Amino acid sequence: MAIQLICLSDLHLGADHSVLTQLDGTQRASRSLSAFADAFSSLLEHLPVTKNTRLVLLGDVLDLGFSSLPDVVATFRVFAETFLSSRGGKKLSPDILFVPGNHDHQLWQTVKNTYMVRQVVEGMTQDPREITHLFNPQHLESYLLQDILKSVPGTRDCSVQIAYPNYAVLDDSGQKGVVLHHGHYTESMYLAMSALRQRLQGRLSLSEDMSEIEKDNGYWVNFLWSSLGSSGFGHTAFNMYETLLDTGASHEFIRASGKVIRKFMVESLSLSDNTVQSLEPGLSLEKIIDAMLDASVGKFAGSERLSFGSVLSRDGIVKLKWYLGGPVKNQFLQERVDVPKDLSFVFGHTHKPFEDRLPIPGFADPVKVFNTGGWAIDKPVVSSVQGAAAVFIDDNCDVGSLRLFNCSPNGEVTPPHIAGAGSLDDAERPLLRLLEDALSRSTEDWSKFSAAVSHDVQRNTSRVLDRYFDPASDTGVRIGRAV
Amino acid sequence: MKPISITLDKARDHYDILVVGSGYGGAVASSRLARAGRQVCLLERGCEILPGDFPDSISSAKDQFQLNTPMGPMGNPKGLFDIKVNEDLNALVGCGLGGTSLINANVALEFKKNVFDQDSWPEQYRCGDFLEKYYQLARGMLGANPYPRDDLNKLKALEQSARSMGLDFYKPPINVTFEDRINEFGVEQRACTNCGDCCSGCNYGSKNTTQMNYLPDAHNHGATIVCEARVERLEKLADQQWQLQVTDLSDDAATPRVLTANIVILSAGTFGSTEILLRSRKENVLEFSSRLGKRLSGNGDVLGFGYNNYWALDDEKKPRPVYGVGMGAATAPKTVFPGPCITGIIDNRESVSLEQGRVIEEGVIPGALAMALPPVFFFAGAQYANFLHYGMQQAAERLEDASDLGNAIANDPGSLASLAYSGTVSRTQTYLIMSYDDSGGTLQLDNMGNVRASWNDVGRSKCIRDDNAALQDASAGIMGQFIPNPMWSEPLDYKIITVHPLGGCCMGDDADRGAVSPQCEVFSADGSVHDGLYVMDGAVVPTAGAVNPLLTIAAIAEYAVASLAGKHGWTIDYSLNASRPIVPEAPSDHRKRASHGRHEGTATLAEHMDDSVLEKHAAWGALGKLLGRLKASLENDSIDVAKRILRVLVKDYPDFFSPGVSFAETMRGFATTNFDTHKPDPAQRISNDYQLAYAQGKGDGHAIQYDLTISAENLHEFTENHRAEITGHVSCTLLGKAPLEVTSGEFFLFNPDEDQVETWTMNYRLHLKGERGPLYFEGTKYLQRKAHSHWWTDVTTLYVDVYEGDGRHGKHLVQGMMLLGIDDAIAMSQTVRTPLQKHKHRPLEHAMAKLLASMARKYPKLESALDTLFVARFGAFVAQTVFTAYGGLLANLKNFPSAENAVRQGDRRALSLPEPERIPLTMPDGAGITLYRYAHHEAKPRRQIVLAPGFSVTADSFATPTVDRNLAEYLFHAGPEDNASDRGFDVWMLAYRASPDSGNTRTDYSIDDIATHDWPAAIRFIQEASGVSDVHAIAHCVGSMSLLMALLNGMTGVRSVISSQLTLHPVTNWQNFLKADIDLVALLEHSDENHIPDSLPDMRETIPLVPAKADRSGSPDKQSAALDVLCWQVPLPPGEECNNPVCRRVSAIFGPSYTHSQLNHATHIALEEWFDTIAVKPFRQLERIIEKQYCVNREGENTYLPQVSRLAHIPIHFIAGGRNEIFLPETSLRTCEWLKAHNTSGDYSRQVYERYAHMDFFIGRSAAADVYPDFLVFLEKHS
């Protein structure tokens, strides 16, 4: 048995809320990144990895949405120097597989454009493709990333192949398989244009054609989530998002916006507080506007916070089922491959790692679902559902998760452990036994890793707290920071 | 009226023409061909029911149902109501001499011309007025005329709906006789009484069914009419003859017969005719067009209800009744009579394109169902309610209506039927809509050889959704609450029901386009027609008509039979005699005469009622007297009085009179041995283990099924103790090859799940005889209203585990899930038996029971009245539980938790604490506070600790008996067990001035007052009373913030603080920001009477958190209810919705104060004990604090925080709930970091409990295990 694929996602390299990013101008790796490279190398000593074992970067590895391109490039170089060039990294295939997510969709957009140009130039007649094949995708390289890798001595011979949005492998029997996807298309927000089109066309359900979904949503996702950073507007946009995540700050923001809106209404609509008060004494225009903003913007901020109560919201589960039972199944059909009885699905995007099984209509067995979590910490209070995992896939298409860490609102992160999808027959899976064994042989490095992550998580949480609250000031409250 | 039919044994072997079925097609054919001098025999599978004998009550109607389901036929094969149960499209058709005309509303309208213009119709129908001549003939025979007066409420209500929708309204012609007469066919018909029971069979002969015209006409012209003869299939004989296989349903012992004819006309309806042809193709190698079975339409039928309409005519103030329930067996004044089933129509077909065309008609629900309507509408009303839809003022009245109905149902289930004619049910309009569906259904034979309709997802089609939307508009036009057909819902997969199935043997120009020719001759596969074989009924109609199709079916039959006669050179005599008035001596009330005969035999009853039996036993005195009266009333034939006495008997001697109950239940599902093993935090899961096991089992092909009989000897006891016996089998290949016998089994119905909030369970515990030793099967259904649950799904989903041995301790073998399909549910309902008890073990009772049994034999109505009463009581119990769980706002208003809490208070555990000392103290400003003291009373002083609750919560909530160990007990014993060591604390609980148990009457205080007066006085008192100078404190929410404020003010004597949730830097959620932003306090304080709707309580000074207790009539206080309605509208996080009004008010006013997942059932219903009213004024300061995001005084000045150094030497441990939405965990993070920054030598710590929210730290089910040990660690460290 050999390991076929190792998946990591949501590193958010370049963003200062990523624990793997260190933006102090020193071009050094963060504590977490160094410790991760060390522990990962030790782990791989004890695993059957070969030059055929590929690293899969499952999206949002670069934070092109809210971070500047130079920061992103610099951080990715550090990642290449520290992680890809590590002992462990060197053991793996130099051909890296990259499945872009919403924050690095730009990588796919560039490759797709190049590909389209090539199609035109070479006079190919087929329609340009919005997506790659699910199985054996056409070999499309990311020159952008390869250029960066070439500049780092340890990764000079690496190549990066892009597959988007799904990549799948089957075992020899065809009875077992794994599908990889970053995860953004399992969330309603990223399907907004499809939903709009569905309503406009009066159709009963969303389009379940993968190409169509990408055509509807890829372009605006690309602009909003993976181009803004380079525009220089990214920092403003991200500050706004951070403001909204902080309840106190978002309220301050609401009050300030309320004043602007009131001014506008008074000046351009000749409305006055008297008009309102004549309707209901005690109410004023400003109060009404604030109340409306509380119930919309404030509520949004609250719901974002609340999403940290579980690994996947109810709507998230519904959409995940839809994605697997619809677009993914269709891709199997389109490529004339039978859906294997035993299917695993690996995704990230949510920053909340988990393993479970999920019954999907039209699939024989419940689908095994693995989430790779993420490395971004952008709120002052963290939740224990936040964390990251590395997902391992062997050549039998068995899947096991190395849960790297989970946060705790009380400080230290949890130590790593191995997890299967949770069925009774997990006990019979050799991959899980191997991973457990390898983990137990590298505990020393892993405890250093946990300490480093704990440190960086705290670094990030106090940074966010300090942004809106200054413990050393008289009252603590910082007024005016949110606006 | 005299019968005109004979039974099959009297029929001859051969007729010139055989007609199968007696609806509009068959009746037309037999009458016309008889008039053409042919020898005709009509075969009808149902009975000949004469007016007066149609069902008029639930008990008489229940034997008149037949169900044709995928599991085979059920019920009475000759039953009047024939329900075709299918996956997507269900159909109701009539069975009896007269076919569906017996149970339809007899609306005689034509299809619009543009319907015939469609390509699906044969060429000749597409030109102009092709059918007009035949419409004319049919109208003449059927006697179509509009309802002659304008005195019906439902008619006016529909007109009002039409006006609001801006659509045409008129009175369509209906086939009803409005004068006493002997008609053209010699049949005596009475003028319509307006009783409304058209659809359960007209008992007065007023409705012009085919039984009143075409059929007697056929009989008068020599046709033979055979009833109870079911045609199975047909065969073509060599000599141009047709042979029919006929089953004699009149006699179980009769052998099937074979009848032959030269011409056969199938008029058995869309389902019946198609079924006969399909069977004939399958079994007799008859070949037909490939179109056979195609193009099934439901005529776009959708049924819906507008419940509790608040409509009125122009000058009226009060809402007007609609009166849409038939009279059945009820006696009531003429004013409540609804009128014929359909009298009015909203029709847009002229003005819009074909796809948009539809008609809406009002209807009447037969009186036979009257008893079922109040609870059904009450529950449906609760499910779909949005009480504020028509404004606050109406909300209050609607709530009162709902409450009145709810009380009436709960208090006197025996009087259900009468409730159908008053209150909300009388204000209910029934709607039937018809439109143009796309005839996308098909009819096929199932593996049992019965016809089945399939039409994938028709209920989700645009046509059906638009129909429902139109009904919603119609309903809104008279301010009603729209209730769709209950089967048209997500959990039931949007099933629809049609009363106008059309198609299956559609006509077409040739065999490629139709199953029959334009003249209704059946096509063969080769494109020719089968000589002498016809279909004439709704089956030939190739499209929906968006209107009642009877007249079109009759007209097509008139045309087809005219062509048939023409083809053979026969002449039909169309002339009619005149009708004449009835001679006066005829008795005036048909129904009375008809039913009189059923009450014979009073004398024989007296013989059974031997007075001596009644007086034998002294204990039977009162009972004997009642039985005596019962006997007397029976002798006088006053059945209504007898029923009333019976109701008293049942109420006072339920145990004795109760029948037993039994029913069979089959559930199916899948199971697996490869079930889930990891059980981490539910927050880490996206699946339900049982659903997973089901999916895995399904994937592996491991089915599980049980066939059980559940029985209780005494329905009354079952209603009381919820327990019954189970026998039967469980089949699962994972457990054994053969079905496993249940050696013993218990069934528990709706016991509350003590560990959860508002969850009830149904348990199946079965001991099975396994192949290798005993097995234990445990199945559970959960009734729990969640955001996405539905009562139907919940009561039909069983979670299953099977263990080795005789209990859960054995090896876990199998996990799975089973479901009760709607077919199985229907089958189950057919198996319910309520046998009279035998009382074999008690001789006297046995003698009485025998007496009762013989009475019941004499008076079948009595027995059914008896079990109706018990079934109603049982039904009321089941309905109440389902309602408590799923009744939404109405259940909330009913305040079930309060009633249950009152009952349970008597059974509470004793606290592991001494009697508390209660010390009231008066503050300098006149406010009152109370201290409770649990002291060890020894010479040696103990450590002292004081507990302070949140704002407006009683201090004694710390000592709740509803959890296994509360905080007071935990601290008193310094641990989870009773402990004799001296580590235990003397526990004080502080009811400061905001607590309902403080004794305080002032409402004009601020948080400053609590910090300045209450805390110092309390600490001083504790120091003095105990002689201990250092007091530990655990304070929650405002208790915590005010304690920190008191300490900043300079209060001394506090050794350590555990500060829960609210600190000096509150960060709250958007809802509290919203309240602060609109300055809700000022709004409340300054609202004068003119600005508060008088429907709301006065909340200028205090807001009540506990609903007013219901008065003796059971109706809630109106203003109190209105506040509940408002609070109900406040959104809650998922999973926190409940039906407890106190809980909803607390959540609405403060925000979600605990997560329900941490509470148990007993605590949740006890919430009312810890809350009362809250003062409004103190919120003023809280608003300011929330605005500033740090603690300020009542004037909004920063007077507290500058004293931060006073907290330097007090260890403070902050605790926060990860799910707290009132004060987010950032609150304590900020204060903790702020203190650390200012008092660098201070001892501050903080702990977040992620699964907790706010107050659940102190009343949570598992807080003693999850939280209190940490308290103890902190306290030990700082003692």
Side-chain angles (χ1 to χ4, degrees), chain A residues 230-285:
Chain A
S230 340
S231 75
F233 186 66
H235 268 86
T236 318
F238 184 72
N239 285 345
M240 180 97 107
Y241 185 63
E242 265 193 346
T243 301
L244 289 181
L245 290 184
D246 183 283
T247 323
S250 64
H251 185 241
E252 198 186 314
F253 173 76
I254 282 169
R255 292 300 300 265
S257 320
K259 286 198 172 67
V260 175
I261 296 175
R262 179 182 169 278
K263 189 158 177 276
F264 168 78
M265 291 178 84
V266 170
E267 283 169 5
S268 57
L269 302 175
S270 314
L271 271 173
S272 74
D273 285 340
N274 290 342
T275 335
V276 176
Q277 260 163 12
S278 67
L279 297 173
E280 181 65 56
L283 272 187
S284 68
L285 195 55

Side-chain angles (χ1 to χ4, degrees), chain B residues 1150-1180:
Chain B
F1150 295 113
S1153 297
Y1154 28 76
T1155 164
H1156 281 76
S1157 58
Q1158 290 295 349
L1159 301 191
N1160 65 20
H1161 179 64
T1163 301
H1164 188 245
I1165 63 174
L1167 290 172
E1168 59 170 0
E1169 296 174 35
W1170 305 321
F1171 293 94
D1172 193 356
T1173 58
I1174 54 165
V1176 168
K1177 285 238 164 44
F1179 275 89
R1180 188 141 268 255

